[in-house]
Amino acid sequence: MLPTVAGIVLFIMSVAILVTAVRAVIGPTVSDRIVALDTIGINLIGFIAVIMLIQDTIAYAEVVLVIAILAFIGSVAIAKFVEGGVVLDRDRH
């Protein structure tokens, strides 16, 4: 029962990643693209978590953590760039 449900979940998450990738490419605004990229990162984390559940292992836990950190840092950097045009403030004392 679990492999069947997990397979269905993986298929749905794959479709969600595909749809959000389309939104990231043709999004009408920059904000839509940022949200789409963040959603792709969250879906990848869930996708890997379901694979870990199917394989009954925690071998990919570090991969999940790295993807989560990179998705967060990427979202913050892009949002800061959109807000002010500068990602790193070098004049701060």
Side-chain angles (χ1 to χ4, degrees), residues 7 9 11 15 17 24 26 29 32 34-35 41 60 64 72 78-79:
V9 169
F11 175 74
V15 171
I17 290 171
I26 62 168
T29 65
D32 291 334
I34 293 171
V35 170
Y60 307 122
V64 169
F72 174 74
I78 293 172

Side-chain angles (χ1 to χ4, degrees), residues 55-92:
Q55 295 181 353
D56 194 24
T57 183
I58 60 168
Y60 307 122
E62 292 87 8
V63 175
V64 169
L65 289 174
V66 169
I67 289 175
I69 291 169
L70 289 176
F72 174 74
I73 291 172
S75 296
V76 169
I78 293 172
K80 191 170 179 183
F81 178 75
V82 168
E83 180 181 310
V86 177
V87 176
L88 299 173
D89 293 332
R90 297 181 183 203
D91 293 333
R92 188 177 283 177

Side-chain angles (χ1 to χ4, degrees), residues 1-55:
M1 179 78 178
L2 181 63
T4 304
V5 173
I8 293 170
V9 169
L10 288 176
F11 175 74
I12 292 171
M13 291 183 84
S14 300
V15 171
I17 290 171
L18 182 67
V19 170
T20 52
V22 170
R23 173 59 70 187
V25 171
I26 62 168
T29 65
V30 175
S31 299
D32 291 334
R33 292 181 176 153
I34 293 171
V35 170
L37 290 174
D38 197 35
T39 305
I40 289 172
I42 292 170
N43 280 327
L44 282 175
I45 291 169
F47 194 88
I48 295 172
V50 171
I51 290 174
M52 286 173 45
L53 185 66
I54 292 172
Q55 295 181 353

